[in-house]
Amino acid sequence: MEKTGKTKYIFSAIFVLIAHIAMLVTMSHNGNYASPGKLIVLSLAVILLDIAYFIAMLFFRQTTYTIDFMLIFILNISLIFQSSFGGIELSVKHLLTCIASLVACRLGYMLCCDHKWLQTKKKPFYIASGIIMLSILTLTGSRSMWIDLGFFTLQPSEFLKPAFILVCTTYVAEQQNKIKFWKFNIVPENLICTAFIILICGLQWWCRDLGSLPTFVAIYLCGLCARLCYPKAKLSKKLIITGIALIGVLAVIAIILAPPYVKARLFVDIWSDSSGDGYQQSRALIAIANGGWFGKGAGKGDLHNIFAYDTDIVFASICEEWGLFFAVMVIAVILIMLACPLVNPPRSYFHATLATGVCSAFVVQMALNIFGSCNMIPFTGVTLPFISQGGSSMVTCGFMMGMIIAGQSPVFKNPVAGSKKNKKRKRVKAE
């Protein structure tokens, strides 16, 4: 790392550390804690995790560490949130999931660094996605979406997201491998992606997890756009209009054929049914109003008595205790982190489509959680990335951020001069 890079790294680390310390100091002055010891334990956990990650990142040679700093920044903020709802005490479970998310981020980075290697591994991605879908059918029980291992539970549909993103990711050469079918030129890989989304839609309906369906559809549509609009491609207006019309027709059909409980959420009046289907949303809106711009204080909220206060309606819980201003700021940080591929363009078209799939998954999931909590759209019950409690979700989010980091600063190994592979390449070129 050059001298200028070291200076930037140190200043970035200090900024993140000061931001977390400022939050902890605010909690000490305006928080609800039974004893100072609990606040001290939480403070030590946050600061030590910061320092440990700053040191660990020095072992990874990257072009930029922007996303890494923002990731540890948002994860420790979520640890502070989850440790303060209803009273300040370190949430050991969320601390462990934050660490798991950071580890998963490194794994995602290492897996997706070399796009040339990834392009030869499409079949394993298909197989991995198939295995995950099969596990949902066979291991989750009767039309469920959880695998209960006794001491903890897993949600396989969360792990299906990065696998499906890799299935939908493409590169330019792949889109030039067309076959003639009747009078149409068809790319086989595009048909495979379409087959996967149809299977996923059926699977989500089977396990009654329709709330996650928009996320998978968004991944597919963004991947399809990237496939059809690869460099120098031209799309006719008729094709675009037909595609939009088809999506509209499918949306209407989906609403008509939706199960009764889904239709109830679509058309419920939360205030006239505040003790039934509108209970969570009505309580969430009341909590947001009570919190105002700057909140009631860490640990001083009442929404922690409502089911899913730390998962599905966590945005409202943050607004109540920390204020709408702070909640919006946190969401802005996540959006800025997702916008990094626009500032530092991905190194390949493969990485560009990879980043598109990841960003679409995050943005749609965030919109479903926040707008659902605020009663702007039907309540879907999905988690808020990096903020909600949940191991499967946190690990998956970390892995997908690693995929974006890989596109930002991949480090490729140069072939060894005397290696057999390099000699073979030279013979092929000579021929």
Side-chain angles (χ1 to χ4, degrees):
M1 191 184 295
E2 298 178 358
K3 186 175 181 180
T4 306
K6 289 180 180 179
T7 304
K8 291 180 179 179
Y9 191 94
I10 293 172
F11 274 105
S12 298
I14 292 173
F15 173 81
V16 172
L17 199 58
I18 290 175
H20 290 152
I21 292 174
M23 289 184 67
L24 294 169
V25 170
T26 301
M27 293 176 73
S28 67
H29 287 288
N30 193 33
N32 176 27
Y33 48 93
S35 64
K38 293 185 177 181
L39 180 60
I40 292 173
V41 171
L42 173 61
S43 301
L44 287 174
V46 171
I47 294 172
L48 290 177
L49 183 58
D50 275 343
I51 295 173
Y53 192 68
F54 297 152
I55 295 173
M57 284 309 302
L58 294 174
F59 294 92
F60 293 89
R61 185 165 60 89
Q62 298 176 197
T63 305
T64 174
Y65 295 89
T66 304
I67 297 179
D68 297 282
F69 281 113
M70 297 184 76
L71 180 61
I72 187 64
F73 177 66
I74 203 68
L75 283 178
N76 261 337
I77 286 179
S78 75
L79 177 60
I80 294 172
F81 286 157
Q82 294 290 345
S83 299
S84 64
F85 296 142
I88 296 173
E89 184 175 4
L90 174 65
S91 175
V92 178
K93 179 182 178 181
H94 198 70
L95 172 62
L96 294 176
T97 56
C98 286
I99 295 173
S101 181
L102 293 172
V103 173
C105 177
R106 290 295 97 196
L107 293 176
Y109 167 79
M110 290 186 288
L111 175 68
C112 300
C113 256
D114 192 344
H115 66 282
K116 295 179 181 178
W117 176 82
L118 277 174
Q119 290 167 11
T120 64
K121 303 298 178 183
K122 294 292 274 187
K123 288 184 179 179
F125 299 150
Y126 299 151
I127 295 171
S129 300
I131 291 173
I132 295 173
M133 287 191 281
L134 187 63
S135 69
I136 296 174
L137 285 172
T138 58
L139 302 178
T140 56
S142 178
R143 299 191 68 179
S144 175
M145 55 184 177
W146 297 92
I147 298 177
D148 190 354
L149 300 177
F151 51 97
F152 69 94
T153 57
L154 292 174
Q155 190 175 1
S157 60
E158 288 292 329
F159 303 122
L160 185 58
K161 291 174 185 176
F164 186 53
I165 289 171
L166 288 169
V167 167
C168 292
T169 301
T170 186
Y171 54 100
V172 176
E174 185 180 84
Q175 294 306 301
Q176 296 171 347
N177 297 328
K178 299 178 180 181
I179 60 174
K180 194 78 172 180
F181 183 76
W182 287 351
K183 295 183 179 180
F184 301 96
N185 291 321
I186 297 175
V187 178
E189 286 78 7
N190 296 351
L191 294 180
I192 293 173
C193 289
T194 303
F196 264 100
I197 190 61
I198 292 172
L199 290 174
I200 290 172
C201 288
L203 186 65
Q204 294 298 105
W205 174 84
W206 182 86
C207 64
R208 303 185 183 95
D209 187 22
L210 297 179
S212 299
L213 193 55
T215 304
F216 287 104
V217 173
I219 294 171
Y220 168 73
L221 291 177
C222 287
L224 185 63
C225 288
R227 286 170 172 271
L228 297 177
C229 301
Y230 67 92
K232 297 183 180 179
K234 294 182 179 180
L235 294 178
S236 66
K237 294 181 180 179
K238 290 183 179 179
L239 181 61
I240 296 173
I241 295 172
T242 302
I244 294 173
L246 181 61
I247 293 171
V249 170
L250 291 175
V252 173
I253 295 173
I255 293 174
I256 294 173
L257 299 179
Y261 73 93
V262 175
K263 292 181 180 179
R265 287 186 178 182
L266 286 173
F267 306 108
V268 66
D269 182 354
I270 64 170
W271 301 112
S272 62
D273 192 16
S274 59
S275 60
D277 290 330
Y279 180 69
Q280 284 178 298
Q281 284 174 294
S282 60
R283 297 297 299 174
L285 286 175
I286 292 171
I288 293 172
N290 289 337
W293 281 106
F294 302 105
K296 299 167 66 175
K300 295 181 179 180
D302 299 316
L303 199 61
H304 67 278
N305 296 313
I306 308 300
F307 177 72
Y309 72 93
D310 57 350
T311 53
D312 301 342
I313 54 174
V314 69
F315 180 77
S317 299
I318 297 171
C319 289
E320 183 185 29
E321 297 192 1
W322 292 85
L324 182 61
F325 178 81
F326 202 92
V328 172
M329 185 190 73
V330 169
I331 299 304
V333 171
I334 299 177
L335 291 175
I336 293 171
M337 186 163 55
L338 296 177
C340 282
L342 299 176
V343 180
N344 301 308
R347 298 301 180 87
S348 67
Y349 192 71
F350 187 92
H351 282 128
T353 58
L354 187 73
T356 300
V358 173
C359 292
S360 64
F362 276 120
V363 171
V364 171
Q365 194 166 325
M366 289 169 61
L368 290 173
N369 182 284
I370 296 170
F371 296 152
S373 298
C374 298
N375 195 37
M376 298 175 70
I377 61 173
F379 189 64
T380 55
V382 298
T383 57
L384 185 62
F386 299 115
I387 305 298
S388 293
Q389 185 80 257
S392 301
S393 175
M394 290 287 284
V395 170
T396 302
C397 289
F399 187 88
M400 289 195 294
M401 285 314 303
M403 294 163 72
I404 289 185
I405 295 172
Q408 294 288 288
S409 55
V411 178
F412 303 112
K413 293 181 179 179
N414 294 321
V416 181
S419 66
K420 293 181 179 179
K421 288 184 178 179
N422 198 31
K423 290 179 180 178
K424 186 177 180 181
R425 288 172 185 168
K426 288 182 178 180
R427 285 200 301 269
V428 171
K429 288 181 179 179
E431 293 173 0

